Amino acid sequence: MTLRFLTAGESHGPRLTVIVEGLPAGIPVDGAALDRDLARRQGGHGRGARSTRIERDHAEISSGIHEGRTTGAPVALVIENRDFANQPEERPPITTPRPGHADLAGRWKYGLDDLRVVRERASARETAARVAAGGLARALLREFGVEVGSFVLSFGILSADVPPLDDLDDDGLLRLAATAEDDAVRCPDPRASEAMVAAVDAARRERQTLGGTFAVFAAGVPAGLGSYVQWDRKLDGRLAQAVCSIHAVKGVEIGPAFDVAARPGASAQDPIERDGQELRRPTNRAGGLEGGVTNGAPLVVRAAMKPLSSVRVAARSVDLASGEATDPPFVRTDVAAVPAAAVVGEAMVAWVLAEAITERFGGDRLDLMRAALDAAGDAWLPRGTR
Ligand code: EPS
């Protein structure tokens, strides 16, 4: 294990804490850049009052950075929960589990009768801490020319009209992400975005929630990260785990995997072509990974997020205190958080790539990692990765 992070904190507790360990020394860290990512995660049409009006996430760095650079020591980051100040002293126990949430699982697993205790830790508020950790991973990746971005592809039944992602190179993907950056739902197709905003408003009126899909990509990825030799070293599997661990994400796809599954083999691969002294791949159906190893093409991961489980319409359940059938109490929530999940997806993909880069090039010192990257030449590197 080269890199690791651990988060702690409850959704309505005083603060979230994350400790990041294993970062090489020498990475320039810009606190304002971490906060920009935290703000990106808070946004997106469909977020509720807490995210948009109460919280103003800021990562307080309390260790591991000296004169703006990592030292090799653990980096501790703290994010205040401003909503903590609004919590009443006494909060009645919750005994009716909400379907789709971790409530019932928490009772079974930890014997917690007050399901509020489960909710507090299982809440997606925790993803703020992940984005802070991901910001450090991103700072490392930037030193290697790797950029991670994202955009929303669908909201409910509405889909963005974008070119097939397997036809796009780094620049094409970066352009889509730039278009999505200022969009209300982080969608690169303005027409679809308008309809998505209206769909969120309609869902809010109908007391419903919406899910959707998003893409996360990495541009400028060096070839040769990951491994094909063992299941837990394969980068596709590690990316799938990382992205699927995001709250409400139930599916992950590398490249156009589900579409490719329906094609005959010859049109499901990316031919290897010679281009002068370099190799090029005219398509990216593999999503940037062959054999669990990066192949120099952009890394493209898509994820499906289920609609948030806190709906305000009848959601049948059982009160575990009385045994009676009932609806769970409604708790304030977002209508949709697909744009936020996309930003969390960036953090998770950045994290896995930072791990893979430190594994390949050594994880103690940035200068030695750079030298190792320069030494890792090959007569037949993919185009643009020399
Ligand atoms: C969440 C429920 C909502 C979200 C929260 C995650 O919080 P509350 O119940 O306090 O309104 O706003 O997300 C965040 C606060 C955040 O920063 O992402 C849940 O149950 O997961």
Side-chain angles (χ1 to χ4, degrees):
M1 180 192 301
T2 54
L3 264 186
R4 56 186 169 173
F5 77 84
L6 274 182
T7 72
E10 278 73 38
S11 180
H12 301 89
R15 65 193 67 87
L16 301 168
T17 305
V18 55
I19 297 186
V20 178
E21 203 257 337
L23 286 170
I27 309 169
V29 173
D30 172 10
L34 298 189
D35 286 354
R36 269 198 301 280
D37 278 340
L38 289 173
R40 292 169 72 232
R41 192 201 68 92
Q42 284 193 262
H45 195 65
R47 292 286 256 159
R50 175 164 179 208
S51 189
T52 52
R53 291 207 281 277
I54 300 175
E55 304 297 345
R56 214 164 304 142
D57 292 341
H58 158 66
E60 185 75 40
I61 302 175
S62 64
S63 69
I65 310 279
H66 179 63
E67 294 179 345
R69 287 182 184 263
T70 52
T71 62
V75 181
L77 300 153
V78 166
I79 301 166
E80 186 195 351
N81 286 326
R82 292 165 70 104
D83 205 26
F84 177 61
N86 305 328
Q87 300 309 305
E89 292 240 318
E90 292 288 319
R91 290 188 291 181
I94 295 175
T95 54
T96 304
R98 298 163 302 163
H101 282 288
D103 300 3
L104 194 50
R107 180 188 160 104
W108 288 330
K109 180 154 179 70
Y110 295 111
L112 298 167
D113 293 333
D114 180 0
L115 306 179
R116 190 190 296 282
V117 181
V118 181
R119 176 194 171 200
E120 280 297 320
R121 179 58 192 165
S123 162
R125 172 75 185 145
E126 186 259 354
T127 59
R130 298 195 198 193
V131 168
L136 296 174
R138 232 188 242 278
L140 170 61
L141 294 179
R142 225 167 261 137
E143 296 301 307
F144 291 88
V146 181
E147 281 295 328
V148 178
S150 70
F151 40 85
V152 167
L153 288 168
S154 71
F155 242 87
I157 58 167
L158 301 166
S159 293
D161 185 9
V162 291
L165 303 188
D166 44 322
D167 281 348
L168 297 179
D169 60 9
D170 285 349
D171 289 341
L173 288 162
L174 286 165
R175 265 197 300 276
L176 278 187
T179 310
E181 193 58 35
D182 297 323
D183 181 75
V185 285
R186 302 189 66 75
C187 174
D189 169 3
R191 277 216 353 228
S193 164
E194 230 172 86
M196 289 172 182
V197 167
V200 169
D201 292 340
R204 192 188 308 272
R205 281 193 301 276
E206 289 155 17
R207 304 162 75 84
Q208 277 290 4
T209 58
L210 280 182
T213 62
F214 59 88
V216 180
F217 66 91
V221 183
L225 304 182
S227 174
Y228 55 85
V229 305
Q230 204 63 261
W231 70 271
D232 56 349
R233 295 186 187 280
K234 290 172 77 97
L235 209 59
D236 36 16
R238 291 162 63 182
L239 285 162
Q241 194 280 330
V243 174
C244 215
S245 75
I246 300 170
H247 305 66
V249 168
K250 301 289 271 186
V252 179
E253 186 184 27
I254 309 282
F258 288 90
D259 175 31
V260 159
R263 298 185 201 172
S267 56
Q269 335 154 335
D270 307 301
I272 302 170
E273 294 176 355
R274 183 166 172 181
D275 183 5
Q277 276 312 299
E278 293 183 319
L279 300 178
R280 67 182 286 273
R281 316 299 290 269
T283 54
N284 184 21
R285 293 163 182 153
L289 287 157
E290 287 169 304
V293 178
T294 56
N295 66 0
L299 198 78
V300 181
V301 179
R302 289 193 281 195
M305 183 187 204
K306 68 177 178 174
L308 300 172
S309 297
S310 297
V311 288
R312 282 187 286 171
V313 290
R316 281 166 306 166
S317 184
V318 172
D319 183 342
L320 304 179
S322 67
E324 299 294 323
T326 183
D327 286 332
F330 170 69
V331 284
R332 178 189 62 187
T333 189
D334 306 326
V335 173
V338 187
V343 176
V344 182
E346 291 177 14
M348 297 312 291
V349 167
W351 184 264
V352 173
L353 279 179
E355 273 182 340
I357 277 195
T358 51
E359 282 162 12
R360 180 151 164 83
F361 301 120
D364 290 339
R365 293 169 48 167
L366 185 59
D367 54 349
L368 297 186
M369 289 176 73
R370 282 225 193 82
L373 172 72
D374 290 343
D378 185 288
W380 291 110
L381 276 174
R383 190 178 192 173
T385 62
R386 205 164 278 276

